[in-house]
Amino acid sequence: MISHIKGRVLCKGSEYIILETNGVGYKVFLPAAQLSQFTEGQEGAEIFCALQVRKDETLELYGLPSFEALKLFEVFRDVSGIGPKAAMVLASLGKPEDIRKAIAARNTGFFRGIKGIGEKKIQKVIVELTGKLVIFEGPRSSGEEAVDSLVSLGFSKADARNALSRVAPEITDLQERIKEALKFLGRR
């Protein structure tokens, strides 16, 4: 699988560039905002990309601005009805965190104006991806994980936080903190 290419921009079309690396030219489709960043003859151009096989068995490369956008592309491709060009545009709309927040908030306005993707399809994307973009959230603290673990066992967040606040601060291991909190919760 081709996921990253670095080389010289040989030529530029209306939707793609041809990027030469080691004597081989790769045609890479790009979203308009990213396409405008490249000029013919540019050296050291770098693109993260996804290789897609079409029904007629032709191979196409879709370029993305970052590794995070590449991961988002793969998530959008899993939504039925979203093709590679639409997934490329969706994944390049902004920072992955902003896209995740827009989906979590069900903000259809964030996705408006994308060629070929109407309101219904945007709503479908939001419904299918709500809660699935956890990979783009920042690292969670062990305290949050402990609370979530206790909540998943049926305790309220308030009770979980209260029990965890009573655990001795020198106990830092996540599993041990949960065990101790469970002892407090069992005494209620």
Side-chain angles (χ1 to χ4, degrees):
M1 175 82 63
I2 300 171
S3 298
H4 180 262
I5 303 175
K6 182 177 181 178
R8 183 172 70 91
V9 178
L10 284 179
C11 45
K12 186 174 168 180
S14 61
E15 295 183 321
Y16 64 89
I17 61 171
I18 296 180
L19 191 62
E20 178 191 30
T21 185
N22 295 325
V24 178
Y26 296 92
K27 182 178 184 178
V28 183
F29 291 94
L30 297 169
Q34 191 178 5
L35 185 65
S36 66
Q37 297 173 5
F38 295 102
T39 57
E40 289 187 13
Q42 178 181 341
E43 296 285 340
E46 285 188 70
I47 298 175
F48 285 89
C49 51
L51 179 65
Q52 298 290 300
V53 181
R54 292 176 44 136
K55 288 180 183 176
D56 63 359
E57 297 185 13
T58 58
L59 304 175
E60 292 182 339
L61 285 171
Y62 293 88
L64 298 137
S66 66
F67 179 66
E68 289 77 22
L70 177 60
K71 291 191 296 186
L72 259 179
F73 172 88
E74 292 166 354
V75 170
F76 283 123
R77 281 294 286 135
D78 287 341
V79 176
S80 64
I82 298 295
K85 286 187 181 181
M88 174 186 67
V89 173
L90 286 166
S92 302
L93 278 177
K95 295 177 186 172
E97 180 62 20
D98 294 339
I99 294 169
R100 186 193 65 75
K101 285 179 182 176
I103 289 171
R106 298 181 179 270
N107 179 1
T108 58
F110 184 86
F111 301 97
R112 281 205 182 99
I114 300 172
K115 183 182 174 186
I117 302 178
E119 186 75 21
K120 285 185 180 181
K121 197 168 277 189
I122 290 170
Q123 289 172 353
K124 181 179 182 178
V125 167
I126 289 172
V127 166
E128 286 195 32
L129 296 183
T130 298
K132 291 185 181 178
L133 294 179
V134 180
I135 55 173
F136 299 103
E137 291 181 6
R140 294 169 27 138
S141 71
S142 62
E144 290 174 37
E145 287 186 52
V147 169
D148 288 347
S149 295
L150 292 169
V151 167
S152 72
L153 293 172
F155 298 102
S156 71
K157 276 193 176 190
D159 287 344
R161 285 192 182 110
N162 183 31
L164 286 164
S165 69
R166 296 170 61 189
V167 173
E170 51 272 358
I171 299 175
T172 57
D173 179 65
L174 177 63
Q175 290 181 346
E176 290 302 316
R177 290 188 60 74
I178 293 170
K179 284 180 188 176
E180 289 299 311
L182 284 168
K183 289 178 187 175
F184 290 119
L185 290 165
R187 291 185 203 147
R188 308 187 283 151

